[in-house]
Amino acid sequence: MDIKEYIDTLPLKAVRPRADGTYTVIPRMHGGILDAEQLTAITKVVQDNGLPQVRITAGQQLLIDSVPEDRLEAVIEALGAVGAAYRHKALGCLGTAGCKLGQQDSQSVAVRLSELLETFTMPTKVKAGVSGCSMCCSESMVRDVGLIGRKRGWTVVFGGNAGKRVRQGDVLAEDVSEDEAFAILGRALALYAENGKKKERTARFVERVGLDAVREAAFNER
Ligand code: SF4
């Protein structure tokens, strides 16, 4: 099996070629968290293979840099699981787990949201941000899907985008419980999954079908 065939057997984007002929490798993480065992394994891989560094990506992943082609299989074998845990990722800030301003547990909710996103076949990637308070450190207003924790519950946001055509997401609900927020988002996402065009992000989808249609789906329990 040549190197390209080998990479194709791995989760999408777990290994990427660099311009200098080496590769980057992403060890699998859940919700931006690594336990001591994973950290030890990563440190050992870096030291044993004489690798220069690891980096943190914008998507809260740890990335092992500059892995030579002849060390790639050994590195991946030593790491165990590689690649993003979910196709669609929800980023969570520290929230009540580690920030004094946190009003809701954004980390566990981000994992729950990632799991919800996996239940759909989406037209394209979905970026989600879960913030533990209105400071919005996970940029929830400019994600495809956003949740913002407040004292009385969650604000639910849909249709944001921080790309070249920036769009502030629309607030679908405020001060709802976690379960209510997930029910509302689940119905809005079902509409998007069923009716979104290929590669159409939620921002463009809302612009095309109209916010009323999204709101109607989000609050219609069918
Ligand atoms: S959004 Fe709020 S809770 Fe989350 S890290 Fe920022 S300040 Fe802290």
Side-chain angles (χ1 to χ4, degrees):
M1 191 188 302
D2 71 14
I3 197 71
K4 190 172 176 316
E5 287 171 337
Y6 172 64
I7 291 171
D8 285 345
T9 67
L10 302 169
L12 195 64
K13 299 179 182 170
V15 173
R16 285 178 167 177
R18 288 167 40 108
D20 65 1
T22 65
Y23 293 83
T24 58
V25 177
I26 290 187
R28 175 153 299 177
M29 296 168 66
H30 286 97
I33 293 169
L34 286 167
D35 63 23
E37 202 176 316
Q38 287 173 290
L39 273 173
T40 304
I42 291 165
T43 304
K44 191 163 173 358
V45 158
V46 170
Q47 288 175 336
D48 289 355
N49 293 279
L51 304 176
Q53 62 193 18
V54 298
R55 284 189 283 133
I56 308 288
T57 71
Q60 292 183 349
Q61 295 276 339
L62 205 67
L63 180 149
I64 301 176
D65 232 344
S66 304
V67 181
E69 188 170 310
D70 63 355
R71 301 302 307 153
L72 196 56
E73 284 195 51
V75 163
I76 289 168
E77 201 173 306
L79 288 172
V82 291
Y86 303 105
R87 281 170 302 158
H88 307 288
K89 204 167 10 146
L91 302 181
C93 70
L94 288 171
T96 48
C99 177
K100 65 182 180 184
L101 297 179
Q103 297 189 321
Q104 299 288 342
D105 182 2
S106 45
Q107 290 195 347
S108 70
V109 168
V111 172
R112 182 177 173 184
L113 183 51
S114 294
E115 289 167 353
L116 173 69
L117 294 172
E118 292 300 299
T119 64
F120 295 99
T121 302
M122 301 292 192
T124 187
K125 68 181 167 190
V126 173
K127 290 186 178 178
V130 182
S131 301
C133 79
S134 55
M135 297 296 283
C136 233
C137 294
S138 293
E139 300 178 343
S140 310
M141 293 301 296
V142 287
R143 304 283 188 190
D144 291 283
V145 171
L147 288 171
I148 303 164
R150 296 165 62 121
K151 208 170 185 176
R152 290 192 299 276
W154 290 93
T155 299
V156 181
V157 183
F158 190 86
N161 194 291
K164 60 184 176 186
R165 277 177 62 200
V166 177
R167 183 176 194 274
Q168 180 173 321
D170 294 296
V171 173
L172 297 182
E174 289 182 289
D175 297 334
V176 293
S177 70
E178 181 182 322
D179 285 345
E180 284 174 300
F182 273 80
I184 291 164
L185 267 186
R187 292 189 288 263
L189 286 166
L191 178 78
Y192 171 61
E194 282 167 24
N195 299 287
K197 293 180 182 173
K198 199 169 179 214
K199 296 194 173 175
E200 183 179 49
R201 298 287 292 274
T202 61
R204 306 291 85 88
F205 175 73
V206 178
E207 288 168 355
R208 180 170 63 82
V209 304
L211 180 57
D212 286 349
V214 176
R215 285 216 164 104
E216 192 179 323
F219 293 96
N220 179 1
E221 292 180 30
R222 285 195 231 186

